[in-house]
Amino acid sequence: KLSSPGLQLAAEIKQQRGVDSTLTRGSGGEFEITVDGKLVFSKKKAGRFPDIGEVLAQLQRDAALDGGA
């Protein structure tokens, strides 16, 4: 079963950014967020699950860098 925090994060991304998320089952407790092939967050690298706010902030920064809103 996909994690509840993962489902919550997907719902929040959809609500805040209007972007549909695809959750893919991993192994070994891995949790990564990629957007257009770019790694936004890696639980394996950070050693923790992401905070919803930090993921949304990173998506906003990335959109600004790409010329979006």
Side-chain angles (χ1 to χ4, degrees):
K1 184 178 177 184
L2 294 170
S3 72
S4 179
L7 294 173
Q8 290 174 339
L9 184 56
E12 191 68 25
I13 289 170
K14 174 68 174 176
Q15 180 182 356
Q16 296 290 324
R17 304 290 299 152
V19 177
D20 288 317
S21 302
T22 302
L23 301 178
T24 306
R25 186 178 313 277
S27 63
E30 291 182 22
F31 184 88
E32 294 187 334
I33 300 170
T34 58
V35 176
D36 294 331
K38 179 183 175 188
L39 183 65
V40 174
F41 184 89
S42 170
K43 178 183 169 198
K44 186 175 182 178
K45 288 181 182 179
R48 60 179 176 77
F49 197 82
D51 174 67
I52 290 174
E54 78 180 299
V55 172
L56 293 173
Q58 183 63 49
L59 292 174
Q60 184 70 30
R61 285 190 296 270
D62 290 349
L65 290 174
D66 291 340

